[in-house]
Amino acid sequence: MTLTRAATLALELDIAGGILCGDLTIPDGAIGLVAFAHGSGSSRRSPRNREVAAALVRHGLATFLVDLLTADEGERDEVTAELRFDIPLLGERMVSVVDTLVLSEDTASLPIGLFGASTGAAAALIAAAGRPQHVHAVVSRGGRPDLAADALPRVLSKTLLIVGGDDTAVIDMNRAALARMRPGVADLVVIPGATHLFEEPGALERVADLASAHFVAHLQRG
């Protein structure tokens, strides 16, 4: 398969629990690949994550926005809201995503990073702990890294935790997670005046800038 500049492909991943749908974008000369872990009822169509993904592509990074729930699970979760907080399930699915990317002909040569939002941040960190040889960097946006629990001390990937300055409860959760991680592995950045969804003018752009710089720095080949 030949990919044109920043071509986007709709993919289906066949996993043990069913089919996961994702959108893969690979710019020419990509230096790495960032897979997105959505959470708390969001999906690969999240406008906020798509805005961040577009910024990463402009910096030469491939992106993979993938749903961690199957279509049937997503419909059920819309009613019950139970699966969005099933962290072991989401973490297991993210590990499967990493394994698929490592084996895929189109992505096998690209160093992998993970971007997690809300509960997706915990899934990303669980995958990073489970696949340290493949996941080189992690970014969390307004995430719940604390929910990764016992996986946190095993994370070796360079990790950036980004939280809004007015999202006080989540700041405390991120600080608690940071305290459980290895020294020097993770950093916490608080964006002043930003709330949980980074809807304030310039807030999401700041997230995209921080994430881009982090992934470019840590996903260089070799």
Side-chain angles (χ1 to χ4, degrees):
M1 176 169 50
T2 301
L3 300 176
T4 58
R5 184 176 183 275
T8 297
L9 306 174
L11 302 180
E12 292 185 345
L13 278 60
D14 190 355
I15 61 165
I19 300 296
L20 302 183
C21 296
D23 296 323
L24 175 67
T25 302
I26 305 182
D28 284 346
I31 62 173
L33 168 64
V34 178
F36 282 66
H38 315 287
S40 296
S42 187
S43 74
R44 71 185 190 281
R45 298 184 178 88
S46 161
R48 286 175 291 277
N49 280 349
R50 285 193 171 274
E51 184 173 335
V52 173
L56 297 182
V57 169
R58 290 193 295 271
H59 282 81
L61 293 158
T63 60
F64 186 48
L65 292 99
V66 60
D67 294 334
L68 296 182
L69 300 178
T70 67
D72 289 344
E73 289 170 342
E75 290 179 5
R76 187 165 89 246
D77 188 64
E78 285 294 324
V79 177
T80 65
E82 62 187 34
L83 295 177
R84 67 190 64 180
F85 292 105
D86 189 340
I87 304 304
L89 172 66
L90 299 178
E92 179 183 335
R93 295 283 173 83
M94 204 63 203
V95 169
S96 295
V97 169
V98 171
D99 289 344
T100 300
L101 294 173
V102 168
L103 294 175
S104 172
E105 178 182 351
D106 297 304
T107 56
S109 66
L110 297 174
I112 295 174
L114 303 178
F115 184 100
S118 192
T119 53
L125 288 165
I126 289 171
R131 296 292 185 268
Q133 70 275 37
H134 298 312
V135 178
H136 302 284
V138 177
V139 172
S140 164
R141 170 183 65 80
R144 291 292 310 275
D146 56 299
L147 296 177
D150 293 341
L152 291 171
R154 296 187 286 111
V155 173
L156 302 179
S157 314
K158 292 296 293 184
T159 301
L160 182 64
L161 309 175
I162 306 173
V163 188
D166 291 347
D167 196 9
T168 53
V170 174
I171 291 175
D172 291 340
M173 295 169 185
N174 275 254
R175 285 176 175 157
L178 187 64
R180 297 196 62 187
M181 299 180 74
R182 298 187 181 203
V185 166
D187 293 303
L188 172 64
V189 174
V190 177
I191 298 180
T195 51
H196 185 63
L197 296 180
F198 297 90
E199 297 175 304
E200 296 72 25
L204 195 59
E205 289 85 348
R206 180 61 176 150
V207 171
D209 288 344
L210 289 167
S212 297
H214 184 77
F215 286 126
V216 167
H218 299 293
L219 294 186
Q220 299 289 347
R221 289 186 180 86

